[in-house]
Amino acid sequence: MLDLVIRGGQVITPDGAGAWDVGIEGERIAAVALPGTLPTASARVIDATGKIVAPGGVEPHAHLAHGIMSHPDAPSQTLGPEEDTVGMACGGTTTHIDFAYLRTGGDLQQVVEQRAARWKGNSYVDYTFHITLAGALDLQVFEQIPEAIQAGYPSFKVFTTNVLPPHPKRAGNRLDFGRIHYAMEKVAPAGGIMVVHGEDEDLVQFNYERFREEKRMEGENLHLVHTKLSESLAFARTIALAKATGVGVYFVHTSAREGVEAIRDARAQGLPIYGETLHQYACFNAEYYKTPRGFCSHTYPSLKLPEDQAALWHGLVVDGLSTLATDEYPTNLELKLRGKTIEDVTGGNLGAEARMGIGYSEGVVKRGMSLGRFADITATNAAKIFGMYPRKGVIAPGSDADICMIDPSIRKTLRREDFHVSDYSPWEGWAVSGWPVMTLLRGKVIADNGKLLGAQTDGRLLTGRRIEASILSRPAC
Ligand SMILES: [Zn+2]
């Protein structure tokens, strides 16, 4: 017996978008059927006429309740899941992946359990974690990798750079390429994937020194410190190691044309290499740093140039990139705009709530992205790459009934009132065509027209992630 029927919408399925009705039983999708053919005697009917029915968004890159490294003199944390996932729910995202940091002396199972305990009862949407191998770890730590993959945590994040400048001194997250290679050797045979922040440490740190010496400290120079060349070098080096070890790699926040090209070249060789970019990288460039709220759109590496934006959009709409993410790192506006120099700006984005809507408006409406591709880059591909498919990221019988319904007739300029997280949004003033109007998490309506209907206890930890062999053997999505 169906509990819910979504009727009359344009539904995005793996076989294309079309006029279908979606039948939901309990927490799962039970049927995708011809219009008017599903029994509705016992079911609640949601009229989706004129709407687009997309898979609930999967945000592959979030840092909630995370220590803020930018201002060591004033330690603080990003907003937690209890606040940020309200925005995800209202914006059509039903699953997010955060990070559990493993540092020297730590235990892998323990760090995951600690993060899961922090989320339990505090998230409006489903969640899981990548494991970050942070800093120069002892070699015996790497022995725990196969066990973690077995336990359903198959994605390992590494930083090829310390990211932040040498002044003031901060704890670094960089893993040297020796250890990255060693990690790849453990991850590949066990069925895991590497998640890589790729920038060249030597170039980035030298540029910080040089710009300090030359007194070019203005934050608008960030893209000249975190350069296109730096991304190019680190991606190439990482891909060479991946080729040698046979591991799959997912590059987070690709920011430059060179990054997209490196990924596309590797994929053309048949390597299982995947690229992510961020909606802020695609929609803003370094000129924006010169405006009063310019640093609202800064995260590391940095905004780049118009030619890079064009390459990122091409990668998203046509081919080369696999996911549109946020690098969510939510703070209030005062903290976000506290620093003005290359050494003290606050990195990290706020925008998981806007991700689905911006992806639709900028991708589908403005740049002709197909609806199928929209579902791929906002939900399906992340679910596949991180071992949650077909439970997540797809509208098909048997899958979790996670839905993002978009009203394509909405035309508006986004205002502060359109958002639910923190005291600002980087997207205030942005004009959109189409916006999410309803979100379902496992069959429950958790948001309706910007009104939160879900509960903080609705989100569940996604256990048992397993990446399909096809994802790890070739560029499959
Ligand atoms: Zn990040």
Side-chain angles (χ1 to χ4, degrees):
M1 293 278 253
L2 297 177
D3 300 305
L4 187 64
V5 172
I6 301 173
R7 187 192 265 172
Q10 175 90 345
V11 182
I12 311 176
T13 77
D15 302 317
W20 305 93
D21 287 353
V22 181
I24 294 165
E25 200 176 305
E27 299 192 337
R28 301 265 173 112
I29 293 166
V32 179
L34 289 172
T37 59
L38 291 175
T40 53
S42 64
R44 174 184 171 193
V45 175
I46 293 175
D47 181 11
T49 305
K51 311 285 197 301
I52 291 157
V53 181
V58 178
E59 164 69 81
H61 191 161
H63 302 274
L64 313 182
H66 181 90
I68 294 174
M69 311 270 290
S70 304
H71 312 283
D73 53 316
S76 58
Q77 281 209 335
T78 60
L79 301 174
E82 52 283 330
E83 180 165 356
D84 197 74
T85 62
V86 174
M88 292 186 196
C90 293
T93 286
T94 47
T95 299
H96 69 287
I97 315 183
D98 207 281
F99 296 82
Y101 274 62
L102 180 68
R103 300 182 188 283
T104 278
D107 176 78
L108 218 156
Q109 198 185 332
Q110 214 170 11
V111 295
V112 173
E113 279 170 9
Q114 279 167 2
R115 292 297 269 175
R118 174 67 181 80
W119 259 248
K120 194 175 166 71
N122 292 311
S123 180
Y124 290 87
V125 302
D126 287 350
Y127 53 91
T128 181
F129 305 97
H130 303 295
I131 293 164
T132 303
L133 304 172
L137 293 163
D138 298 335
L139 295 197
Q140 64 262 30
V141 167
F142 294 78
E143 304 301 328
Q144 301 175 39
I145 286 175
E147 209 178 314
I149 294 173
Q150 210 50 43
Y153 293 94
S155 44
F156 294 83
K157 165 86 178 283
V158 297
F159 293 87
T160 65
T161 171
N162 277 324
V163 184
L164 296 172
H167 310 279
K169 193 126 194 68
R170 305 164 169 99
N173 287 326
R174 183 176 79 96
L175 205 62
D176 55 90
F177 270 102
R179 281 179 173 77
I180 289 175
H181 182 237
Y182 193 55
M184 287 175 169
E185 288 181 331
K186 304 287 178 196
V187 168
I193 193 164
M194 299 295 294
V195 177
V196 178
H197 175 133
E199 290 187 90
D200 187 81
E201 171 75 350
D202 289 343
L203 282 192
V204 169
Q205 296 300 330
F206 172 77
N207 288 338
Y208 274 124
E209 268 182 57
R210 178 181 164 183
F211 277 63
R212 173 177 256 253
E213 191 112 345
E214 294 175 353
K215 301 192 167 44
R216 298 162 70 192
M217 296 296 284
E218 302 77 17
E220 68 197 50
N221 295 320
L222 277 160
H223 63 300
L224 304 175
V225 175
H226 292 264
T227 57
K228 287 151 65 69
L229 183 59
S230 157
E231 182 162 308
S232 168
L233 286 177
F235 278 33
R237 213 169 166 191
T238 303
I239 289 166
L241 293 183
K243 200 171 173 178
T245 54
V247 81
V249 171
Y250 176 88
F251 285 107
V252 289
H253 48 50
T254 306
S255 66
R257 175 172 59 80
E258 288 81 350
V260 181
E261 284 170 359
I263 291 165
R264 200 176 281 130
D265 287 351
R267 290 165 65 90
Q269 293 174 48
L271 300 174
I273 306 291
Y274 303 93
E276 164 196 289
T277 194
L278 313 177
H279 54 355
Q280 305 226 47
Y281 282 173
C283 293
F284 297 90
N285 62 59
E287 277 298 303
Y288 190 60
Y289 286 142
K290 296 174 182 166
T291 68
R293 282 172 64 143
F295 298 130
C296 285
S297 292
H298 172 60
T299 194
Y300 296 96
S302 72
L303 300 174
K304 295 290 195 297
L305 306 178
E307 67 160 32
D308 301 294
Q309 293 177 275
L312 296 176
W313 277 115
H314 189 269
L316 288 170
V317 175
V318 182
D319 173 48
L321 295 175
S322 299
T323 63
L324 180 68
T326 302
D327 201 352
E328 184 80 339
Y329 191 96
T331 69
N332 64 28
L333 183 62
E334 191 277 321
L335 176 52
K336 185 62 183 151
L337 293 181
R338 183 176 295 170
K340 300 277 181 265
T341 75
I342 54 172
E343 290 187 353
D344 67 1
V345 294
T346 306
N349 282 329
L350 171 62
E353 180 164 12
R355 187 182 65 103
M356 299 295 284
I358 294 293
Y360 178 82
S361 182
E362 292 293 322
V364 177
V365 179
K366 280 201 197 154
R367 293 175 178 83
M369 181 187 288
S370 70
L371 286 176
R373 185 69 182 154
F374 168 74
D376 284 346
I377 62 153
T378 56
T380 314
N381 288 350
K384 285 180 175 172
I385 294 165
F386 297 118
M388 299 182 281
Y389 188 87
R391 179 170 167 196
K392 296 295 188 188
V394 60
I395 297 177
S399 296
D400 281 359
D402 297 342
I403 305 277
C404 167
M405 205 186 293
I406 291 170
D407 183 344
S409 73
I410 289 176
R411 303 272 180 282
K412 63 179 176 182
T413 298
L414 296 169
R415 297 169 308 153
R416 168 72 201 111
E417 297 72 48
D418 289 305
F419 297 98
H420 299 77
V421 180
S422 186
D423 56 358
Y424 84 103
S425 167
W427 300 98
E428 287 166 41
W430 197 271
V432 291
S433 298
W435 201 247
V437 289
M438 185 182 275
T439 309
L440 277 76
L441 173 69
R442 284 181 274 102
K444 175 179 173 179
V445 179
I446 57 168
D448 187 5
N449 272 311
K451 190 162 177 266
L452 180 74
L453 299 178
Q456 214 167 293
T457 48
D458 283 340
R460 272 192 219 144
L461 175 66
L462 284 158
T463 55
R465 287 194 287 131
R466 295 261 178 280
I467 305 173
E468 278 180 30
S470 62
I471 293 288
L472 298 173
S473 60
R474 48 178 279 267
C477 66

